Amino acid sequence: MSGFLSNKIHRRLLVAVPAMLLTVSVAFAQQSPQRPANTDDDAAAAVQKPAGASAAPAGGNRAGGRMTSAEATRAFLGLGVAPDAAAAERGKPIYAQNCAGCHGPDARGGIGPNLLYSSQVLDDDHGEKLVPFLKVGRPDKGMPPFAGTPDRDLTDVAEFLHLQVENYANRGTYQNNNNVLVGNAKAGAAYFAKNCVQCHSVTGDLKGVGGRIRPLDLQRAMIFPPREDHPKRAIRATVTTAAGTVEGVVTRIDDFVVVLTQDDGTVRPFARGEGVTVALKDPLAWHKDFAFRLKDKDMTDLVTYLGGLK
Ligand code: HEC
Ligand code: HEC
């Protein structure tokens, strides 16, 4: 199987540097230590974004116990901290009035791009990056500046966008409904045959999967296979320099440095720059992309089909 960057991300890489940051941030979020819960709402504290901090220790994406599934999902998709629901609610009408005309009412795109995949959005936690961007816009490309809009309003818009991403990507976890086996198993089987057999088999790796994984967990495992406790699912990279080629698990990556841990445990830092190429390889890249294109009906049909395989 080709575990390389998904087509979409790959295409974006060819055209846009921001997409590179997206890939990098998604990759790095996997490796980042989890911030200990420090708000009233434990689940909301979730996962820390890469602050360009030090390399994370292996398996260091947990602090004080297992992640909840929502946290793990956020980590998988590199979504950063959970959005502030009250701010998002305030941001909704501001978005509708100022942005929806170009980016669509649900941020899925219009004459402006889909913002659910935007690195400008995904790299942001609470507006600290997005607000400065919105202030200047990209007038030459059709994105107007919002220099006169108060920071607070723009922060609320940022939260609104984060909530849209969350709701869209997090479908496997936000519904706490135990009765998920209500779809059409036959349609699920057909969908599986068309989309999944390239990498999976119901007589091989997914044999009896319905008996092994509870339906709700199956839904999550299918949309975002958990990476923790699965060393084989780690993001790897091949770094090529004049001195040769090194391959290993990515423990840190940003614009300036990439740190690999080789299979024998050797840690190899590289300064990025001319003559240094980094090829990332995420075994779960396909699933990441899938999280955004899976339709609700197909998800239900698939879980019904796979959940029935005992
Ligand atoms: C007149 C149309 C228009 C309006 C209004 C508008 N945008 Fe945009 N926006 C665009 C276009 C076009 C682009 C793509 C610019 C480019 O190609 O670099 C863009 C780009 C963006 C991006 C960067 C996407 C990326 O990943 O490169 C973000 C984020 C964004 N807009 C958010 C907003 C928000 C939030 C608002 C409202 C406060 C808004 N926009 C209002 C047209 C618009
Ligand atoms: C391009 C390859 C690829 C495709 C296509 C793909 N997957 Fe996966 N999937 C993976 C990889 C890699 C893993 C991690 C497997 C491992 O570590 O053994 C995985 C893991 C899973 C898991 C978790 C299994 C477990 O034991 O935790 C499920 C469930 C799953 N995939 C379902 C699906 C379904 C359903 C489809 C089709 C809609 C699909 N996958 C398509 C590559 C793929």
Side-chain angles (χ1 to χ4, degrees):
M1 89 187 67
S2 98
F4 287 92
L5 298 174
S6 64
N7 284 339
K8 180 181 337 102
I9 290 176
H10 191 68
R11 270 200 314 274
R12 289 173 56 102
L13 272 176
L14 297 178
V15 296
V17 173
M20 186 104 193
L21 298 173
L22 165 67
T23 311
V24 162
S25 83
V26 165
F28 192 22
Q30 299 306 314
Q31 313 291 338
S32 301
Q34 189 186 351
R35 174 159 55 207
N38 59 359
T39 68
D40 293 345
D41 181 356
D42 276 7
V47 176
Q48 191 174 22
K49 292 288 277 188
S54 57
N61 56 348
R62 262 180 283 146
R66 286 192 79 81
M67 286 190 201
T68 67
S69 56
E71 285 165 3
T73 301
R74 301 192 64 75
F76 180 80
L77 292 169
L79 291 181
V81 298
D84 172 344
E89 194 56 39
R90 289 193 304 268
K92 192 174 172 180
I94 305 170
Y95 176 88
Q97 200 185 332
N98 295 286
C99 325
C102 291
H103 292 286
D106 49 9
R108 291 188 200 184
I111 61 170
N114 183 323
L115 298 178
L116 302 182
Y117 308 129
S118 161
S119 54
Q120 296 288 343
V121 176
L122 294 173
D123 279 351
D124 178 78
D125 280 339
H126 289 301
E128 74 291 339
K129 291 190 182 131
L130 203 48
V131 170
F133 168 78
L134 295 174
K135 288 267 178 197
V136 296
R138 277 191 210 126
D140 53 320
K141 300 264 180 65
M143 168 67 197
F146 288 86
T149 308
D151 281 17
R152 175 170 171 142
D153 286 0
L154 294 178
T155 306
D156 290 346
V157 168
E159 295 294 345
F160 171 78
L161 289 174
H162 290 311
L163 195 66
Q164 302 313 297
V165 175
E166 173 98 357
N167 287 346
Y168 188 54
N170 221 354
R171 287 164 297 168
T173 58
Y174 75 77
Q175 59 174 35
N176 187 16
N177 172 4
N178 283 309
N179 190 14
V180 294
L181 302 182
V182 294
N184 178 334
K186 233 173 131 184
Y191 189 92
F192 187 90
K194 192 158 169 236
N195 296 281
C196 319
V197 295
Q198 171 199 347
C199 303
H200 298 290
S201 151
V202 294
T203 53
D205 67 327
L206 295 183
K207 188 172 179 205
V209 68
R212 197 154 50 79
I213 308 183
R214 286 187 313 140
L216 264 181
D217 292 338
L218 179 59
Q219 189 167 291
R220 178 165 78 91
M222 181 179 94
I223 309 182
F224 339 95
R227 208 186 289 272
E228 56 170 8
D229 303 330
H230 292 276
K232 284 198 337 225
R233 300 181 189 177
I235 296 168
R236 302 179 71 87
T238 305
V239 176
T240 307
T241 63
T245 292
V246 175
E247 213 265 332
V249 171
V250 177
T251 45
R252 173 176 174 185
I253 183 165
D254 58 29
D255 289 350
F256 309 106
V257 64
V258 53
V259 181
L260 301 185
T261 301
Q262 290 179 277
D263 292 342
D264 65 4
T266 313
V267 175
R268 298 286 304 270
F270 297 91
R272 304 185 70 172
E274 221 169 292
V276 178
T277 62
V278 179
L280 289 171
K281 186 171 154 192
D282 179 356
L284 300 180
W286 187 91
H287 275 275
K288 237 177 230 173
D289 181 54
F290 180 60
F292 287 99
R293 50 189 176 81
L294 176 62
K295 297 195 174 66
D296 290 344
K297 181 189 177 303
D298 294 331
M299 175 169 75
T300 309
D301 290 346
L302 260 174
V303 173
T304 304
Y305 168 60
L306 293 174
L309 301 173
K310 300 281 154 89

